[in-house]
Amino acid sequence: MSDSIRIRPGTPADIPVISQAYVASWRSTYQGFAPEVFVKGLTIEAASKIFADSLKPNSYSYFLHVAETPEGRIVGFADGGKERGHPERGTGELYAIYLLPEFQRRGIGKKLFNAAAQSLAQTGISSMEVWVLAQSPYRKFYEAMGGKLREGIKKLDVAGHTLQLVSYVWADLKSI
């Protein structure tokens, strides 16, 4: 199945469809282990604004890749750029990678991940990190992709709930 999926750069014209895929995969990803307000808090309108703002010219080396079926259906995406907390360091960050549930575990996530790493490397960024909810079962994906768990956690407060995030790092994107 992953052989028939095409990974290509996302464009502003893709925003409505990407936003729908983002919200659907967000809700299925976090259902059951994150607070309901977090799970349902992302709307299509909010996602559209995020992508529209991100696709404007910026200094973050931003990229957006979509996974598309041969029929043209967008089933997932990956985006990233310079690490948002300290862009001056020049470290790359995979901001998000999401797939619709029915397209998970088919090798498409790996294709998106590799496209993300390649995009960062092409801008001269040599390392990458990703932040993941500590209790997420999807952490195993980043471990399988060679990510090394970094010491420490980041806390995210959502409507009175504190979520913990952990970071995986890849010190050398050329080795991916």
Side-chain angles (χ1 to χ4, degrees), residues 114-136:
N114 288 335
Q118 185 178 28
S119 288
L120 290 170
Q122 287 174 346
T123 64
I125 294 172
S126 61
S127 61
M128 177 175 74
E129 73 176 325
V130 64
W131 288 94
V132 185
L133 284 177
Q135 64 272 35
S136 173

PDB file of all heavy atoms in Angstrom, residues 114-136:
ATOM      1  N   ASN A 114      10.784  10.200   6.614  1.00  0.00           N
ATOM      2  CA  ASN A 114      11.994  10.343   5.797  1.00  0.00           C
ATOM      3  C   ASN A 114      11.965  11.617   4.961  1.00  0.00           C
ATOM      4  O   ASN A 114      12.994  12.286   4.810  1.00  0.00           O
ATOM      5  CB  ASN A 114      12.182   9.111   4.912  1.00  0.00           C
ATOM      6  CG  ASN A 114      12.600   7.899   5.705  1.00  0.00           C
ATOM      7  OD1 ASN A 114      13.189   8.008   6.781  1.00  0.00           O
ATOM      8  ND2 ASN A 114      12.286   6.722   5.203  1.00  0.00           N
ATOM      9  N   ALA A 115      10.805  11.977   4.445  1.00  0.00           N
ATOM     10  CA  ALA A 115      10.690  13.232   3.688  1.00  0.00           C
ATOM     11  C   ALA A 115      10.967  14.430   4.596  1.00  0.00           C
ATOM     12  O   ALA A 115      11.621  15.394   4.184  1.00  0.00           O
ATOM     13  CB  ALA A 115       9.302  13.340   3.059  1.00  0.00           C
ATOM     14  N   ALA A 116      10.492  14.354   5.839  1.00  0.00           N
ATOM     15  CA  ALA A 116      10.737  15.430   6.803  1.00  0.00           C
ATOM     16  C   ALA A 116      12.229  15.573   7.083  1.00  0.00           C
ATOM     17  O   ALA A 116      12.779  16.682   7.053  1.00  0.00           O
ATOM     18  CB  ALA A 116       9.976  15.166   8.098  1.00  0.00           C
ATOM     19  N   ALA A 117      12.884  14.459   7.365  1.00  0.00           N
ATOM     20  CA  ALA A 117      14.322  14.493   7.648  1.00  0.00           C
ATOM     21  C   ALA A 117      15.088  15.039   6.451  1.00  0.00           C
ATOM     22  O   ALA A 117      16.017  15.852   6.607  1.00  0.00           O
ATOM     23  CB  ALA A 117      14.810  13.103   8.024  1.00  0.00           C
ATOM     24  N   GLN A 118      14.696  14.637   5.262  1.00  0.00           N
ATOM     25  CA  GLN A 118      15.359  15.113   4.047  1.00  0.00           C
ATOM     26  C   GLN A 118      15.156  16.614   3.853  1.00  0.00           C
ATOM     27  O   GLN A 118      16.076  17.332   3.479  1.00  0.00           O
ATOM     28  CB  GLN A 118      14.844  14.332   2.838  1.00  0.00           C
ATOM     29  CG  GLN A 118      15.554  14.685   1.559  1.00  0.00           C
ATOM     30  CD  GLN A 118      15.048  13.857   0.390  1.00  0.00           C
ATOM     31  OE1 GLN A 118      13.902  13.412   0.359  1.00  0.00           O
ATOM     32  NE2 GLN A 118      15.902  13.647  -0.587  1.00  0.00           N
ATOM     33  N   SER A 119      13.955  17.107   4.120  1.00  0.00           N
ATOM     34  CA  SER A 119      13.693  18.542   3.981  1.00  0.00           C
ATOM     35  C   SER A 119      14.562  19.362   4.921  1.00  0.00           C
ATOM     36  O   SER A 119      15.095  20.396   4.536  1.00  0.00           O
ATOM     37  CB  SER A 119      12.218  18.843   4.255  1.00  0.00           C
ATOM     38  OG  SER A 119      11.420  18.389   3.200  1.00  0.00           O
ATOM     39  N   LEU A 120      14.682  18.893   6.152  1.00  0.00           N
ATOM     40  CA  LEU A 120      15.539  19.601   7.106  1.00  0.00           C
ATOM     41  C   LEU A 120      16.996  19.576   6.653  1.00  0.00           C
ATOM     42  O   LEU A 120      17.679  20.601   6.673  1.00  0.00           O
ATOM     43  CB  LEU A 120      15.390  19.000   8.506  1.00  0.00           C
ATOM     44  CG  LEU A 120      14.050  19.267   9.178  1.00  0.00           C
ATOM     45  CD1 LEU A 120      13.922  18.428  10.444  1.00  0.00           C
ATOM     46  CD2 LEU A 120      13.877  20.739   9.495  1.00  0.00           C
ATOM     47  N   ALA A 121      17.464  18.413   6.229  1.00  0.00           N
ATOM     48  CA  ALA A 121      18.862  18.290   5.787  1.00  0.00           C
ATOM     49  C   ALA A 121      19.145  19.193   4.592  1.00  0.00           C
ATOM     50  O   ALA A 121      20.224  19.785   4.501  1.00  0.00           O
ATOM     51  CB  ALA A 121      19.175  16.833   5.458  1.00  0.00           C
ATOM     52  N   GLN A 122      18.173  19.333   3.697  1.00  0.00           N
ATOM     53  CA  GLN A 122      18.366  20.176   2.513  1.00  0.00           C
ATOM     54  C   GLN A 122      18.494  21.651   2.862  1.00  0.00           C
ATOM     55  O   GLN A 122      19.016  22.427   2.072  1.00  0.00           O
ATOM     56  CB  GLN A 122      17.222  19.971   1.523  1.00  0.00           C
ATOM     57  CG  GLN A 122      17.289  18.643   0.818  1.00  0.00           C
ATOM     58  CD  GLN A 122      16.069  18.371  -0.052  1.00  0.00           C
ATOM     59  OE1 GLN A 122      15.042  19.041   0.048  1.00  0.00           O
ATOM     60  NE2 GLN A 122      16.181  17.373  -0.902  1.00  0.00           N
ATOM     61  N   THR A 123      18.020  22.045   4.038  1.00  0.00           N
ATOM     62  CA  THR A 123      18.168  23.443   4.453  1.00  0.00           C
ATOM     63  C   THR A 123      19.411  23.642   5.309  1.00  0.00           C
ATOM     64  O   THR A 123      19.606  24.710   5.874  1.00  0.00           O
ATOM     65  CB  THR A 123      16.928  23.935   5.226  1.00  0.00           C
ATOM     66  OG1 THR A 123      16.802  23.195   6.436  1.00  0.00           O
ATOM     67  CG2 THR A 123      15.669  23.821   4.399  1.00  0.00           C
ATOM     68  N   GLY A 124      20.223  22.599   5.444  1.00  0.00           N
ATOM     69  CA  GLY A 124      21.458  22.704   6.216  1.00  0.00           C
ATOM     70  C   GLY A 124      21.309  22.330   7.673  1.00  0.00           C
ATOM     71  O   GLY A 124      22.262  22.462   8.451  1.00  0.00           O
ATOM     72  N   ILE A 125      20.145  21.866   8.061  1.00  0.00           N
ATOM     73  CA  ILE A 125      19.928  21.435   9.443  1.00  0.00           C
ATOM     74  C   ILE A 125      20.396  19.986   9.566  1.00  0.00           C
ATOM     75  O   ILE A 125      20.032  19.143   8.755  1.00  0.00           O
ATOM     76  CB  ILE A 125      18.443  21.594   9.834  1.00  0.00           C
ATOM     77  CG1 ILE A 125      18.085  23.081   9.833  1.00  0.00           C
ATOM     78  CG2 ILE A 125      18.155  20.948  11.171  1.00  0.00           C
ATOM     79  CD1 ILE A 125      16.599  23.373  10.025  1.00  0.00           C
ATOM     80  N   SER A 126      21.197  19.703  10.578  1.00  0.00           N
ATOM     81  CA  SER A 126      21.796  18.366  10.673  1.00  0.00           C
ATOM     82  C   SER A 126      21.179  17.470  11.740  1.00  0.00           C
ATOM     83  O   SER A 126      21.459  16.275  11.773  1.00  0.00           O
ATOM     84  CB  SER A 126      23.302  18.490  10.927  1.00  0.00           C
ATOM     85  OG  SER A 126      23.528  19.172  12.146  1.00  0.00           O
ATOM     86  N   SER A 127      20.344  18.015  12.621  1.00  0.00           N
ATOM     87  CA  SER A 127      19.735  17.200  13.677  1.00  0.00           C
ATOM     88  C   SER A 127      18.256  17.564  13.806  1.00  0.00           C
ATOM     89  O   SER A 127      17.817  18.609  13.336  1.00  0.00           O
ATOM     90  CB  SER A 127      20.457  17.418  15.009  1.00  0.00           C
ATOM     91  OG  SER A 127      20.349  18.775  15.404  1.00  0.00           O
ATOM     92  N   MET A 128      17.514  16.670  14.465  1.00  0.00           N
ATOM     93  CA  MET A 128      16.070  16.864  14.558  1.00  0.00           C
ATOM     94  C   MET A 128      15.562  16.329  15.888  1.00  0.00           C
ATOM     95  O   MET A 128      16.126  15.397  16.458  1.00  0.00           O
ATOM     96  CB  MET A 128      15.392  16.100  13.411  1.00  0.00           C
ATOM     97  CG  MET A 128      13.886  16.140  13.424  1.00  0.00           C
ATOM     98  SD  MET A 128      13.144  15.332  11.959  1.00  0.00           S
ATOM     99  CE  MET A 128      13.412  13.598  12.336  1.00  0.00           C
ATOM    100  N   GLU A 129      14.454  16.915  16.338  1.00  0.00           N
ATOM    101  CA  GLU A 129      13.762  16.399  17.511  1.00  0.00           C
ATOM    102  C   GLU A 129      12.267  16.407  17.254  1.00  0.00           C
ATOM    103  O   GLU A 129      11.786  17.069  16.334  1.00  0.00           O
ATOM    104  CB  GLU A 129      14.084  17.215  18.759  1.00  0.00           C
ATOM    105  CG  GLU A 129      13.429  18.575  18.807  1.00  0.00           C
ATOM    106  CD  GLU A 129      13.701  19.313  20.115  1.00  0.00           C
ATOM    107  OE1 GLU A 129      13.788  18.679  21.174  1.00  0.00           O
ATOM    108  OE2 GLU A 129      13.826  20.541  20.054  1.00  0.00           O
ATOM    109  N   VAL A 130      11.535  15.653  18.060  1.00  0.00           N
ATOM    110  CA  VAL A 130      10.084  15.644  18.030  1.00  0.00           C
ATOM    111  C   VAL A 130       9.599  15.517  19.462  1.00  0.00           C
ATOM    112  O   VAL A 130      10.206  14.809  20.270  1.00  0.00           O
ATOM    113  CB  VAL A 130       9.524  14.498  17.148  1.00  0.00           C
ATOM    114  CG1 VAL A 130       9.865  13.132  17.698  1.00  0.00           C
ATOM    115  CG2 VAL A 130       8.022  14.638  16.962  1.00  0.00           C
ATOM    116  N   TRP A 131       8.535  16.240  19.790  1.00  0.00           N
ATOM    117  CA  TRP A 131       7.924  16.163  21.112  1.00  0.00           C
ATOM    118  C   TRP A 131       6.666  15.307  21.021  1.00  0.00           C
ATOM    119  O   TRP A 131       5.860  15.477  20.101  1.00  0.00           O
ATOM    120  CB  TRP A 131       7.572  17.562  21.630  1.00  0.00           C
ATOM    121  CG  TRP A 131       8.793  18.341  22.003  1.00  0.00           C
ATOM    122  CD1 TRP A 131       9.485  19.219  21.220  1.00  0.00           C
ATOM    123  CD2 TRP A 131       9.479  18.290  23.250  1.00  0.00           C
ATOM    124  NE1 TRP A 131      10.557  19.725  21.906  1.00  0.00           N
ATOM    125  CE2 TRP A 131      10.581  19.164  23.167  1.00  0.00           C
ATOM    126  CE3 TRP A 131       9.280  17.591  24.439  1.00  0.00           C
ATOM    127  CZ2 TRP A 131      11.468  19.357  24.217  1.00  0.00           C
ATOM    128  CZ3 TRP A 131      10.161  17.787  25.485  1.00  0.00           C
ATOM    129  CH2 TRP A 131      11.242  18.666  25.369  1.00  0.00           C
ATOM    130  N   VAL A 132       6.511  14.396  21.983  1.00  0.00           N
ATOM    131  CA  VAL A 132       5.422  13.427  21.973  1.00  0.00           C
ATOM    132  C   VAL A 132       4.822  13.357  23.375  1.00  0.00           C
ATOM    133  O   VAL A 132       5.563  13.416  24.372  1.00  0.00           O
ATOM    134  CB  VAL A 132       5.957  12.030  21.592  1.00  0.00           C
ATOM    135  CG1 VAL A 132       4.836  11.025  21.460  1.00  0.00           C
ATOM    136  CG2 VAL A 132       6.784  12.086  20.318  1.00  0.00           C
ATOM    137  N   LEU A 133       3.509  13.194  23.464  1.00  0.00           N
ATOM    138  CA  LEU A 133       2.909  12.981  24.781  1.00  0.00           C
ATOM    139  C   LEU A 133       3.533  11.758  25.427  1.00  0.00           C
ATOM    140  O   LEU A 133       3.663  10.705  24.797  1.00  0.00           O
ATOM    141  CB  LEU A 133       1.396  12.786  24.669  1.00  0.00           C
ATOM    142  CG  LEU A 133       0.559  14.024  24.428  1.00  0.00           C
ATOM    143  CD1 LEU A 133      -0.908  13.661  24.279  1.00  0.00           C
ATOM    144  CD2 LEU A 133       0.727  15.035  25.547  1.00  0.00           C
ATOM    145  N   ALA A 134       3.920  11.906  26.685  1.00  0.00           N
ATOM    146  CA  ALA A 134       4.626  10.831  27.388  1.00  0.00           C
ATOM    147  C   ALA A 134       3.830   9.537  27.403  1.00  0.00           C
ATOM    148  O   ALA A 134       4.406   8.449  27.306  1.00  0.00           O
ATOM    149  CB  ALA A 134       4.967  11.273  28.812  1.00  0.00           C
ATOM    150  N   GLN A 135       2.509   9.616  27.507  1.00  0.00           N
ATOM    151  CA  GLN A 135       1.696   8.415  27.595  1.00  0.00           C
ATOM    152  C   GLN A 135       1.249   7.879  26.231  1.00  0.00           C
ATOM    153  O   GLN A 135       0.510   6.909  26.154  1.00  0.00           O
ATOM    154  CB  GLN A 135       0.483   8.642  28.502  1.00  0.00           C
ATOM    155  CG  GLN A 135      -0.493   9.676  28.010  1.00  0.00           C
ATOM    156  CD  GLN A 135      -0.169  11.105  28.447  1.00  0.00           C
ATOM    157  OE1 GLN A 135       0.983  11.498  28.561  1.00  0.00           O
ATOM    158  NE2 GLN A 135      -1.194  11.900  28.670  1.00  0.00           N
ATOM    159  N   SER A 136       1.714   8.475  25.155  1.00  0.00           N
ATOM    160  CA  SER A 136       1.286   8.066  23.822  1.00  0.00           C
ATOM    161  C   SER A 136       1.864   6.712  23.411  1.00  0.00           C
ATOM    162  O   SER A 136       3.077   6.499  23.468  1.00  0.00           O
ATOM    163  CB  SER A 136       1.721   9.107  22.787  1.00  0.00           C
ATOM    164  OG  SER A 136       1.444   8.645  21.481  1.00  0.00           O
TER     165      SER A 136
END
